[in-house]
């Protein structure tokens, strides 16, 4: 009887170890927040979040005909010069599911991820302090 219980215990521990090896693991994506006027640097490239020029995204708590979009202006500085670029956020543009690569430097990337905060019904847009969310991979 003891041998039977020992055999069952060994089989169960073997099956447990086998099950742990089959779980796929993905590494987490770390998001960096850049507030209006702030920059992030990657090697010899600097990306500065200048401002939000438009935010017509449909607020939470409201029914809208269209989803709208938000437009953010960034400045990209490289050793070759500086340029401004517009980033568009919303259902048909940049979202956490559909990111956009901004720049690449020495096999590392800065990727536009999202724009916060998302508008909410009955809140003042004049006092909003925006943050551009980027991934550095």
């Amino acid at each position: 009887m003891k041998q039977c219980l020992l055999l069952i215990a060994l089989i169960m521990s073997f099956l447990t170890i086998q099950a742990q090896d089959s779980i796929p693991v993905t590494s987490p994506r770390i998001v960096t927040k850049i507030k209006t006027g702030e920059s992030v640097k990657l090697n010899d490239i600097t990306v500065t979040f200048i401002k939000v020029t438009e935010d017509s995204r449909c607020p939470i708590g409201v029914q809208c005909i269209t989803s709208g979009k938000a437009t953010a202006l960034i400045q990209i500085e490289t050793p070759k010069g500086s340029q401004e670029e517009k980033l568009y956020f919303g259902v048909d543009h940049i979202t956490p599911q559909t990111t956009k690569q901004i720049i690449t430097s020495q096999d590392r990337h800065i990727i536009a991820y999202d724009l916060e905060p998302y508008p909410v019904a009955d809140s003042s847009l004049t006092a909003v302090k925006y943050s551009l969310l980027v991934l550095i991979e």
Side-chain angles (χ1 to χ4, degrees), residues 5-59:
L5 289 175
L6 180 61
L7 182 61
I8 291 173
L10 285 173
I11 291 173
M12 291 301 289
S13 58
F14 178 75
L15 291 175
T16 303
I17 292 170
Q18 287 295 98
Q20 290 178 356
D21 289 342
S22 65
I23 298 172
V25 177
T26 57
S27 60
R29 299 179 91 182
I30 299 172
V31 176
T32 302
K33 279 188 177 186
I34 309 171
K35 294 180 181 179
T36 305
E38 292 184 352
S39 302
V40 65
K41 189 169 178 127
L42 178 61
N43 299 322
D44 56 351
I45 297 171
T46 303
V47 176
T48 304
F49 176 31
I50 299 173
K51 65 181 177 179
V52 172
T53 57
E54 169 194 9
D55 193 352
S56 64
R57 296 175 291 177
C58 183

Side-chain angles (χ1 to χ4, degrees), residues 97-127:
Q97 292 76 31
T98 55
T99 58
K100 179 185 180 203
Q101 184 172 311
I102 298 173
I103 197 83
T104 299
S105 175
Q106 299 174 359
D107 297 330
R108 304 242 0 237
H109 313 284
I110 297 178
I111 300 167
Y113 182 78
D114 205 357
L115 183 67
E116 287 185 346
Y118 195 89
V120 178
D122 301 326
S123 68
S124 171
L125 289 179
T126 58

